[in-house]
Amino acid sequence: YSYLRIRGFDQTRIAVNVNGVPLNTPESHQVYTIDLGDFAAGLGLIQIQRGPGTALYGAPAVGGVVTLETASLPTTARGNLEMMVGSFGTSRLSLSYGGAIGKSPWAFSVRAAHVESNGYRTPSWSKQTFAQIAFERFAPNSVWRILLFGGPESTQLSYYGVPYQDLSNPVARRSIAPLLPGETDNFFQPQLQVMNDRKLAPGVILKNTVYAIAGNGYFRQFSLALAYDPLGNLTPTEIDDAWQKRALDNRQIGWIPRVAWSHRHGELTAGLELLFHTGRHDGSVTTGTVCSDPTCTTSSP
């Protein structure tokens, strides 16, 4: 996981946009960059501005605004292959190809990448796969952009710190892992963006963006003694050696229309955002042993 702060505000109060589409989740305003492994390799612009004054819309822009713009597509056929290796079993493979579609005004680009690492701590591995398909069409008075991207990620959780007395021991600080192998984060969040910029009159441009984001995944966590009480009983059942699956299913569809008017004193932009969102949280115990000893005590996970 990576986290961002601007002016002391965490990323729930920072507007992070991809081509103008909010990356902050509607439910918590949180930003999960782990779901977009190797995404930055396809960007053409990263702009960071502090304060709320630079945000045209969106509630979480108190700290600042981070604008991410994907790069323009190539107009001549070309491809690129990158292979990298590093410490702790880290590797990255990326393949891209694109160009004009015949003699039409359309251009296309496809890119696929896979990044994985064993991690500094044992175990703390991560595996991220990313794919992107993009189309662009340029006409004298209109520009179309269609972008579909995303990919699954799987990460072995290892977020607890190392005890202070073990920091000076290079073996201990890598091997101490309060979380067990199998406690993982698994998520897939593909996103579709359809953008159109149309010239209505000299200096007046109408911009429309329609997008859809689907997120589905789960945490897998272990608990030595789990107080299991889904029905609200007075005496919960204790489950020993319990493996829990905490799932999340998110769906959001949005429309962002904007009008930009360039005049001799500057530029005036007006717009709005319409967003429809549904989310479902689901928790279950997949394996475990029901405590039958009447003397055993219950504890929270």
Side-chain angles (χ1 to χ4, degrees):
Y1 279 84
S2 298
Y3 299 96
L4 175 68
R5 285 184 178 271
I6 297 179
R7 301 170 62 234
F9 293 94
D10 67 7
Q11 54 197 21
T12 62
R13 290 297 176 261
I14 300 171
V16 182
N17 303 318
V18 178
N19 298 325
V21 174
L23 193 60
N24 305 74
T25 60
E27 190 174 65
S28 63
H29 291 169
Q30 189 57 264
V31 180
Y32 298 99
T33 54
I34 194 173
D35 299 330
L36 296 174
D38 204 60
F39 177 67
L43 294 178
L45 170 69
I46 300 177
Q47 185 181 61
I48 301 175
Q49 296 173 287
R50 64 178 185 174
T54 55
L56 298 177
Y57 47 81
V62 178
V65 181
V66 177
T67 301
L68 308 176
E69 296 284 348
T70 54
S72 299
L73 304 189
T75 55
T76 57
R78 68 184 187 192
N80 187 50
L81 173 64
E82 295 180 352
M83 294 179 288
M84 302 180 181
V85 295
S87 303
F88 313 114
T90 303
S91 63
R92 173 181 178 265
L93 176 64
S94 176
L95 174 64
S96 62
Y97 184 80
I101 303 178
K103 297 182 179 180
S104 70
W106 286 90
F108 81 100
S109 175
V110 295
R111 187 169 75 89
H114 180 77
V115 183
E116 65 177 68
S117 177
N118 293 334
Y120 176 77
R121 299 177 67 179
T122 304
S124 61
W125 53 262
S126 66
K127 298 178 181 179
Q128 298 168 290
T129 301
F130 180 81
Q132 176 177 298
I133 303 175
F135 297 92
E136 284 185 351
R137 183 184 188 276
F138 290 92
N141 295 316
S142 178
V143 177
W144 283 93
R145 300 181 67 193
I146 303 173
L147 187 66
L148 175 63
F149 61 88
E153 64 86 14
S154 183
T155 305
Q156 166 66 44
L157 300 175
S158 183
Y159 48 77
Y160 285 123
V162 177
Y164 176 78
Q165 62 270 19
D166 297 312
L167 286 177
S168 59
N169 187 331
V171 176
R173 66 173 179 243
R174 288 197 59 194
S175 59
I176 293 178
L179 298 174
L180 298 181
E183 295 193 72
T184 57
D185 170 24
N186 308 268
F187 210 75
F188 179 38
Q189 190 178 27
Q191 182 171 155
L192 172 66
Q193 300 179 354
V194 179
M195 298 157 281
N196 176 249
D197 295 352
R198 183 174 296 275
K199 182 179 180 181
L200 300 180
V204 181
I205 298 178
L206 173 63
K207 301 180 180 182
N208 279 289
T209 300
V210 177
Y211 67 91
I213 304 175
N216 183 273
Y218 63 91
F219 287 98
R220 190 169 182 263
Q221 296 173 303
F222 176 78
S223 179
L224 283 173
L226 173 67
Y228 184 68
D229 186 18
L231 300 180
N233 298 318
L234 295 178
T235 305
T237 301
E238 179 178 313
I239 301 179
D240 294 336
D241 300 330
W243 281 96
Q244 307 167 71
K245 182 179 180 180
R246 300 183 178 184
L248 172 64
D249 186 15
N250 269 328
R251 298 288 186 272
Q252 62 187 88
I253 299 175
W255 174 40
I256 305 174
R258 287 164 291 169
V259 176
W261 173 37
S262 298
H263 50 86
R264 61 176 182 170
H265 299 295
E267 180 176 299
L268 174 64
T269 301
L272 57 89
E273 176 189 6
L274 298 177
L275 171 65
F276 303 91
H277 169 260
T278 61
R280 175 182 173 85
H281 294 258
D282 181 74
S284 61
V285 177
T286 56
T287 61
T289 303
V290 176
C291 181
S292 57
D293 184 353
T295 63
C296 69
T297 59
T298 61
S299 61
S300 300

